[in-house]
Amino acid sequence: AGRAEEQQEYRNFERSWWFSQMEEFFGADQWSNRALEEALGAEANGLACSAATAAVAQGLAPEVSVVCALVAEQAPHLCPVSTSTSFAGIDSLRLARLAYAIRTRLGRSVSAARLRAAGTVSALMVAIEEAEADVSAKSKQCGPPTDMGREYTIWFTPGQHSPMGSWVLRSDEPIDVAAMRRALAKLADRHCALRAEIQDPMHYMSMLFDAAALWGLCGACLEASGLAVARLLKRLICWALVRTWPRVRCGTREQIYAARFPDAPAAPLAVYTSDADGQPLRAQARFERFMKATVRGIKPPFQVSIFEVSCRLVDVWAWAEQYGRGRFAITRALVGGSCVGLVYVDAKSREWGPLLGPGSKRWRTPPYRFPALFFVPLSSGNPLWLRLERADEIHLCYKEGDQRTSREHHAVAYRAAPQRDAETGGAPTVVRYMAITMYHCFADGNCYMPLAQDLFALYDAERKGEDATAALPPLVGPPAFELLERRFLDTVLCRPTPTRVSLRGSIFRYVGLGYGHSFGFEPAAVALLERAAARYGLPFDVALLGLLVCSQARADRCERVQFTVYAPMRDGAAEATMIGLFSDWRDVCVGVDLELATVLGTLLQLFHTVQHREWLPFNALRKPEATIVNVQPLDMERRSHFQHLGENLWWGGDTFREGPAARAERMDWARQPLTFNIEQQDASFWWIMVDVGNTERQPSWLRCFGEALAQAADDLLLQPLAKVHRPFPENIWF
């Protein structure tokens, strides 16, 4: 009887977990300040240098000061920067931005791989001096790229012939549409990927896709056999694959865009003030639905869409909930007779504050599942977020206090006098969103940085009437598609080059049901983990990946963790400034000894593997059993008057009251036995999203993994030399 009761209790526990525990959050509440100060030092609660701290050490030579200033811009936590400063812990995104800044300001090209190898500012100065002659020589030999009318043979999967997730930016200032159109025209002329079109029907790709994957597995065997007939057969198959592979042609900007965008100059820019039904965009809900439908339906290869949302906020609003009711007003703040912004005023509670957008330095991230339009720092010290759900409906999220555990209230407010004239409050407040969308077959997630850098440098120059092309570093070397074609040909010809393509195919696939789970790292926890990673010279994204390795090894009780990571593959001197599908799958193996492995040792081993590119192209035969890892950092740098937004500010709508998402009764089909997505939500919030095949790993495994992840984060902060493999506490029930 006791055994039956225990089994029933476990079934009830597992059912409760299944429907109510789809997300877990890591904050900083579980760590005491004293323990953190002992482990990380007195500055455990802050990363960025204070205002009193100089960004660059004094007494440096002018050129060295410029380089130190560039490093300080990309990695503020390294301040003050001197020649002996080590930047080994800068992540790949900041390295790419540093390489771009060096090219722009110093006119010298240093690859991301060379930056990683340099390690210190003094070594970086040597690399820059050595790169000067190389860049000038390449410029003389290659000159500007000539890709007009050329056809290329590049690799992409049939599923990648679709729009990527859009990069969405917001501006609270008017957009100079004419200057933006001219900037986009120059941007398209500069990058071949923005003028590309597929010449052959896509079903050709579907036929050849699996044939190329099989050839990638067996082609090398023919060469290794030593038989003359085998080598002849290899050359024949290579010739057939290359000749029949679908071509991508680079045309002129007018050929690609003139028919769809007739306004001169022909540039892929569309401006929307109303939706597909002709209804004006006056609230967030309608705008969000329309933007998602618009970006999903763009034509290849590229489009920029501007959405103008006219918000009539100035009015008196009333709300009523179970816990009370009240009124507030939104009015204009006037200084010298000129409007300088909007102000929230609640006469009953005597709270007031300005309405701030994401571009403000005082902006605070809203609670998860509440895509706010404005943030209000109230005079009482409490935060408030506003969302204009519909033209006459505002959703409010009010927090009592500034702590993570402070109570949050959600309310819905309507205009107190809806019969009043629609023009009440004068001219509307116009909020402008810009969505940048590219087809995945011509770009990857790492293209945002070079695309945004070039676009907004050109836009600012056009607005000021300056020479726009002088604002950009020159393109050095062959066009992006020529490099990608070289990688594909190296693969087909079975050349053992490190940049060859991993031909994946669809023959080998995983078939099974699975379930998902998400782990959220809140800003306070992210700040502490960034501090710990910087202390040991680890990039933050590599540190998160290392925590996953430790957790999986402990949950699986194994000594070798193998996974496939979607790597940027942009190690060339000019590749960080190119637009193209450079990212590719690479197989990584990390040893985690059952007796000796420590958390810090495992993270350092992983960093060494990533830093020195000790990985192999993806093996398609292992796809049904592969663990896939995708790391997606966000470039949140403000450019011109635009602020890059995370998906939490424009995707999903207001579901705050509904609470966390619940799993369905039935499982969905899983993509792989195990998939990790490490995704940055905004400047200070990260997610680890896990998809698990139920056949290989039951829900009890995921609970074990979650506990291992929490303990690995604790160990990195407080006891980095703790063993990875150790028994779990007896009071935890998986």
Side-chain angles (χ1 to χ4, degrees):
R3 178 66 174 171
E5 290 179 359
E6 184 178 346
Q7 290 178 348
Q8 182 61 39
E9 185 180 359
Y10 179 78
R11 284 194 293 269
N12 293 338
F13 161 73
E14 187 161 71
R15 184 174 180 83
S16 173
W17 177 88
W18 178 265
F19 289 110
S20 62
Q21 295 291 328
M22 197 171 176
E23 297 170 349
E24 297 179 38
F25 293 90
F26 295 94
D29 300 340
Q30 66 268 34
W31 302 308
S32 68
N33 289 334
R34 181 175 180 180
L36 290 171
E37 289 177 3
E38 292 177 356
L40 300 178
E43 299 177 357
N45 293 324
L47 278 176
C49 51
S50 64
T53 303
V56 179
Q58 303 298 317
L60 300 176
E63 288 189 3
V64 179
S65 296
V66 172
V67 176
C68 289
L70 295 178
V71 174
E73 287 178 9
Q74 305 305 328
H77 62 280
L78 298 180
C79 300
V81 179
S82 64
T83 54
S84 60
T85 298
S86 172
F87 49 85
I90 298 181
D91 58 43
S92 57
L93 176 61
R94 288 177 175 174
L95 275 179
R97 283 163 49 180
L98 179 59
Y100 188 97
I102 291 173
R103 290 195 66 197
T104 303
R105 301 192 191 181
L106 301 179
R108 304 172 190 178
S109 204
V110 182
S111 67
R114 188 69 179 89
L115 284 175
R116 283 193 301 270
T120 63
V121 174
S122 59
L124 176 59
M125 289 300 303
V126 175
I128 291 174
E129 293 173 359
E130 293 175 351
E132 183 176 15
D134 295 339
V135 171
S136 60
K138 288 181 181 178
S139 300
K140 291 178 182 178
Q141 293 174 5
C142 300
T146 55
D147 52 43
M148 298 295 183
R150 289 187 58 182
E151 292 186 352
Y152 297 95
T153 307
I154 62 175
W155 165 262
F156 57 87
T157 68
Q160 289 173 326
H161 187 253
S162 60
M164 297 172 57
S166 296
W167 299 297
V168 179
L169 303 96
R170 171 174 161 176
S171 172
D172 293 333
E173 301 177 18
I175 299 176
D176 189 336
V177 176
M180 182 63 72
R181 183 171 282 110
R182 293 193 298 271
L184 280 170
K186 289 182 171 62
L187 183 72
D189 291 337
R190 176 178 171 87
H191 294 284
C192 58
L194 306 184
R195 294 175 282 101
E197 58 181 354
I198 299 176
Q199 292 296 99
D200 301 301
M202 277 304 298
H203 60 261
Y204 286 3
M205 170 71 77
S206 300
M207 289 191 299
L208 295 170
F209 185 55
D210 291 326
L214 289 174
W215 174 246
L217 295 173
C218 62
C221 299
L222 293 177
E223 185 70 24
S225 66
L227 300 176
V229 65
R231 290 196 294 270
L232 181 61
L233 179 61
K234 174 200 163 188
R235 295 189 183 94
L236 178 62
I237 296 176
C238 290
W239 175 84
L241 277 175
V242 173
R243 292 291 296 174
T244 56
W245 197 262
R247 297 300 198 267
V248 172
R249 179 180 179 274
C250 289
T252 65
R253 175 171 43 82
E254 290 77 10
Q255 291 172 342
I256 304 298
Y257 298 114
R260 285 183 285 146
F261 305 96
D263 294 339
L269 177 65
V271 181
Y272 302 96
T273 58
S274 59
D275 63 11
D277 298 327
Q279 297 295 322
L281 299 177
R282 292 181 177 174
Q284 286 178 267
R286 181 182 295 274
F287 149 70
E288 290 166 355
R289 289 194 301 269
F290 177 59
M291 183 178 69
K292 294 173 193 175
T294 300
V295 298
R296 281 197 296 262
I298 72 161
K299 303 297 183 182
F302 170 66
Q303 180 174 314
V304 172
S305 308
I306 295 176
F307 304 87
E308 296 186 349
V309 184
S310 299
C311 307
R312 297 191 178 276
L313 296 168
V314 177
D315 210 335
V316 178
W317 301 79
W319 60 271
E321 298 292 339
Q322 294 179 351
Y323 50 83
R325 62 181 59 205
R327 289 192 174 200
F328 64 90
I330 297 178
T331 184
R332 301 183 187 276
L334 301 178
V335 175
S338 300
C339 177
V340 295
L342 302 179
V343 178
Y344 168 95
V345 180
D346 189 329
K348 183 178 180 180
S349 65
R350 297 183 180 274
E351 291 180 309
W352 62 273
L355 273 64
L356 305 177
S360 171
K361 294 181 179 179
R362 300 171 64 189
W363 168 267
R364 286 184 52 186
T365 303
Y368 185 50
R369 295 190 183 87
F370 190 82
L373 184 67
F374 290 105
F375 165 65
V376 183
L378 294 173
S379 55
S380 62
N382 296 333
L384 172 69
W385 293 271
L386 304 178
R387 170 181 169 83
L388 187 62
E389 184 72 13
R390 297 177 181 84
D392 297 320
E393 179 182 328
I394 285 182
H395 290 193
L396 302 95
C397 185
Y398 178 87
K399 195 170 184 179
E400 295 181 359
D402 200 25
Q403 302 299 319
R404 172 178 174 267
T405 56
S406 299
R407 189 176 180 183
E408 295 172 339
H409 301 277
H410 186 282
V412 178
Y414 301 91
R415 297 186 190 273
Q419 73 278 7
R420 295 164 66 184
D421 188 86
E423 298 299 324
T424 297
T429 299
V430 181
V431 179
R432 301 157 185 89
Y433 294 87
M434 187 169 77
I436 303 175
T437 313
M438 286 205 65
Y439 262 60
H440 200 359
C441 53
F442 303 132
D444 55 38
N446 296 286
C447 290
Y448 171 77
M449 191 277 295
L451 193 152
Q453 291 275 31
D454 289 355
L455 174 60
F456 293 114
L458 291 168
Y459 172 68
D460 284 340
E462 289 289 346
R463 284 201 304 163
K464 299 173 184 176
E466 300 174 354
D467 182 10
T469 55
L472 302 178
L475 289 176
V476 178
F481 280 2
E482 187 172 326
L483 293 177
L484 295 174
E485 182 180 55
R486 190 178 303 164
R487 294 183 181 186
F488 176 69
L489 295 179
D490 286 345
T491 307
V492 173
L493 297 174
C494 304
R495 296 169 181 162
T497 56
T499 58
R500 63 187 183 275
V501 178
S502 60
L503 303 175
R504 299 190 283 276
S506 60
I507 299 177
F508 313 104
R509 65 178 67 186
Y510 174 77
V511 179
L513 299 176
Y515 56 97
H517 201 80
S518 299
F519 300 91
F521 288 81
E522 297 180 341
V526 169
L528 292 172
L529 291 173
E530 282 183 338
R531 177 72 182 178
R535 181 176 187 180
Y536 303 118
L538 294 168
F540 182 65
D541 50 0
V542 174
L544 286 181
L545 181 56
L547 295 180
L548 289 186
V549 171
C550 294
S551 306
Q552 183 184 347
R554 190 177 177 190
D556 286 340
R557 191 66 181 168
C558 65
E559 289 189 307
R560 286 167 56 88
V561 175
Q562 292 181 293
F563 59 90
T564 302
V565 64
Y566 200 47
M569 303 303 294
R570 291 172 177 263
D571 292 336
E575 290 168 8
T577 62
M578 292 182 175
I579 298 176
L581 181 54
F582 286 88
S583 297
D584 201 4
W585 288 12
R586 288 295 183 264
D587 288 340
V588 179
C589 182
V590 181
V592 189
D593 190 271
L594 290 174
E595 301 294 335
L596 303 176
T598 64
V599 172
L600 180 58
T602 303
L603 267 63
L604 292 174
Q605 179 193 169
L606 174 64
F607 179 47
H608 181 274
T609 300
V610 173
Q611 185 179 30
H612 296 278
R613 301 304 194 242
E614 295 178 354
W615 50 37
L616 296 172
F618 175 65
N619 184 353
L621 285 174
R622 290 192 60 252
K623 190 174 189 297
E625 60 193 48
T627 297
I628 305 298
V629 179
N630 190 13
V631 183
Q632 302 176 20
L634 279 183
D635 184 357
M636 301 302 294
E637 181 180 353
R638 182 177 174 85
R639 294 180 173 90
S640 188
H641 52 85
F642 292 88
Q643 176 62 49
H644 191 191
L645 304 180
E647 283 191 357
N648 61 309
L649 291 182
W650 59 273
W651 184 271
D654 180 13
T655 58
F656 182 77
R657 276 190 171 180
E658 300 173 9
R663 293 187 182 88
E665 184 76 32
R666 296 180 178 273
M667 295 184 184
D668 294 326
W669 290 103
R671 294 173 293 178
Q672 291 292 133
L674 188 59
T675 303
F676 295 111
N677 281 303
I678 304 175
E679 185 174 309
Q680 187 177 2
Q681 175 180 290
D682 54 40
S684 56
F685 198 107
W686 285 74
W687 284 100
I688 295 178
M689 291 170 285
V690 188
D691 291 326
V692 187
N694 187 61
T695 304
E696 289 75 16
R697 294 174 174 87
Q698 300 291 321
S700 59
W701 177 91
L702 185 55
R703 293 192 289 271
C704 180
F705 172 85
E707 180 62 26
L709 180 62
Q711 292 186 14
D714 291 346
D715 293 339
L716 177 60
L717 291 174
L718 303 177
Q719 45 180 359
L721 296 182
K723 298 293 181 61
V724 173
H725 295 284
R726 61 185 190 274
F728 287 100
E730 295 182 358
N731 60 344
I732 298 179
W733 193 14
F734 296 125

